[in-house]
Amino acid sequence: MSLRDWLLTRRDRMLGSAAFHQSVLRFPISRWIARRRARELFDITAGFVYSQVLAACVELDLFERLAAGPVSSEKLASDCAIPRPGLERLLEAAVELRLLQRWGADEWRLGDLGAASRGSPGIAAMVRHHGMLYRDLLEPLSLLTDRSNSDLSQYWAYAAEPGRSEAANAQRYSELMAESQSFVADDVLAHCSLAGRRELLDIGGGSGVFAAEALKRFPELRARVFDLPDVAVLADERFSREGYGERGGAIGGDMFADTLPGGADVISLVRILHDHDDELVVRLLRAARQAISPDGLLLIAEPMAETPAAPGVGAYFHLYLWAMGSGRPRSFARIRQMLEAAGFADVRERGSFQPLLVRVLTARPAAR
């Protein structure tokens, strides 16, 4: 047994001992550590309840109802069509989570987290979307055994069957992604300037939110979105609607089966890699290496495993993507390894305002 193995074994035995826990609680120096661990375990245990409090607040539109100021219990119960005793129990729970705040004897107003949720693009949409994930996780062992009929795999049809696209489904999930994509685009472009670049190819660019933001910030840039045909139509509509029809366009195709358009000196993959399994990711990266110009820059923005600034994000995506039917969160080291195997070099992390959502990295074509 190595020294590290011995130390970890000793740690596990101590932490698993009730007598050890009782002893550390008696000493002020160690008490805060024991309390912190107990709180962390409680939060893991109660996490589903927390999420359902938030879901109920969203379904009742409480944050919008309270946006103008304090409202009484009686009016909220009437507006929400929920009996007052039950609604007040929800309101009290939301206060504990800082979503709401009690005001006076019988009024309620937004808490700091409730107010912040109104300024965070896509929060309400994602909370509603998560109803499918919660249903899939009702019996987690069944899901881990067989995910073929999960709600999420039916929703994200392209994940279970790459290349498959249906117009109605494409519209639905493209709108969901667009809810937060503008926020992500700001983060990515703040950390990776495209000044001086000629043409962006945004692979899997959905309805064109990221590409349109790039066109807005860099007037000399041209951009193309490459996505499934039903989705590419939505990107063309956005470019036309926002006045970028001359500089932006979309191409319909399958990123895993079709040859990617060549000539771009920037290729972006924004929240794409984690949706797919390793074999497909390697294939896509090799295709990007073939398509990119010799002086090109590959731009990747991903939620990643092993993100110290966002503990828990890896755990979330491991289960979400399993239920979805494909993909996994990867560490920066793993993505760099895959990039180098696909013919890229000079892999660098650029930073992020919100590593919970994305970490931004770039790579350049390796010399042949």
Side-chain angles (χ1 to χ4, degrees):
M1 182 181 293
S2 69
L3 176 61
R4 183 167 181 267
D5 287 339
W6 183 82
L7 290 172
L8 289 175
T9 300
R10 290 276 297 174
R11 179 205 67 182
D12 294 346
R13 287 175 180 169
M14 285 191 299
L15 292 179
S17 165
F20 174 76
H21 279 275
Q22 292 170 357
S23 66
V24 297
L25 285 171
R26 287 178 168 80
F27 294 95
I29 295 177
S30 58
R31 186 179 300 146
W32 71 271
I33 300 176
R35 286 176 174 173
R36 187 188 69 184
R37 292 193 187 283
R39 171 58 191 268
E40 290 170 344
L41 285 170
F42 180 82
D43 284 345
I44 292 173
T45 304
F48 183 75
V49 177
Y50 299 165
S51 70
Q52 295 308 293
V53 171
L54 176 59
C57 289
V58 169
E59 286 301 314
L60 293 174
D61 211 17
L62 285 178
F63 303 144
E64 294 303 318
R65 296 182 191 279
L66 296 172
V71 179
S72 69
S73 297
E74 183 177 358
K75 179 166 175 51
L76 283 173
S78 174
D79 291 347
C80 296
I82 297 287
R84 181 169 171 171
L87 181 66
E88 287 185 335
R89 189 58 61 95
L90 171 65
L91 298 176
E92 294 283 9
V95 167
E96 294 284 338
L97 298 179
R98 294 165 44 207
L99 295 169
L100 301 182
Q101 182 179 350
R102 181 180 280 281
W103 196 251
D106 187 38
E107 290 189 320
W108 312 83
R109 68 182 306 149
L110 291 175
D112 60 326
L113 293 183
S117 74
R118 297 186 65 246
S120 301
I123 288 289
M126 286 304 296
V127 168
R128 292 187 173 97
H129 168 74
H130 273 76
M132 288 183 284
L133 176 61
Y134 301 150
R135 289 193 295 273
D136 287 338
L137 288 174
L138 282 175
E139 297 184 15
L141 299 186
S142 296
L143 176 66
L144 295 172
T145 302
D146 180 9
R147 56 179 173 170
S148 60
N149 292 315
S150 68
D151 282 10
L152 280 180
S153 68
Q154 303 305 310
Y155 182 88
W156 299 108
Y158 73 85
E161 188 179 336
R164 173 185 165 194
S165 175
E166 299 171 358
N169 202 34
Q171 177 80 30
R172 189 170 66 247
Y173 66 65
S174 294
E175 287 175 354
L176 177 65
M177 295 305 296
E179 291 281 352
S180 61
Q181 194 78 332
S182 60
F183 189 78
V184 170
D186 176 71
D187 200 342
V188 172
L189 295 172
H191 289 90
C192 184
S193 173
L194 302 185
R197 293 289 172 177
R198 303 181 305 274
E199 182 175 330
L200 166 69
L201 176 65
D202 188 19
I203 300 175
S207 63
V209 175
F210 177 75
E213 183 65 24
L215 291 173
K216 176 182 176 182
R217 295 190 184 210
F218 306 102
E220 303 303 316
L221 187 70
R222 299 180 65 85
R224 290 178 290 175
V225 166
F226 187 87
D227 212 317
L228 296 170
D230 290 332
V231 181
V233 170
L234 304 177
D236 267 331
E237 291 174 354
R238 179 180 300 277
F239 293 140
S240 178
R241 184 171 65 248
E242 298 187 10
Y244 299 125
E246 295 292 323
R247 296 165 51 212
I251 302 168
D254 181 346
M255 70 178 77
F256 299 112
D258 298 330
T259 301
L260 298 178
D265 62 340
V266 183
I267 291 181
S268 56
L269 292 162
V270 179
R271 297 194 297 182
I272 299 298
L273 301 187
H274 72 300
D275 279 357
H276 302 286
D277 294 332
D278 286 359
E279 179 183 353
L280 290 177
V281 169
V282 170
R283 187 190 307 175
L284 179 58
L285 292 177
R286 286 175 176 162
R289 176 64 184 86
Q290 292 295 320
I292 199 167
S293 66
D295 62 341
L297 183 75
L298 180 66
L299 170 60
I300 293 174
E302 284 278 293
M304 296 185 194
E306 300 176 22
T307 297
V313 68
Y316 166 82
F317 278 106
H318 273 301
L319 269 293
Y320 184 98
L321 294 171
W322 177 265
M324 190 177 85
S326 78
R328 63 169 55 245
R330 298 175 179 87
S331 66
F332 171 76
R334 176 57 180 150
I335 294 174
R336 178 172 56 191
Q337 182 184 49
M338 299 174 85
L339 283 166
E340 290 172 348
F344 288 94
D346 191 24
V347 181
R348 302 182 186 184
E349 185 161 7
R350 299 293 187 125
S352 172
F353 295 133
Q354 282 281 23
L356 179 70
L357 297 178
V358 289
R359 289 164 63 182
V360 183
L361 60 91
T362 58
R364 299 179 186 276
R368 293 191 183 276

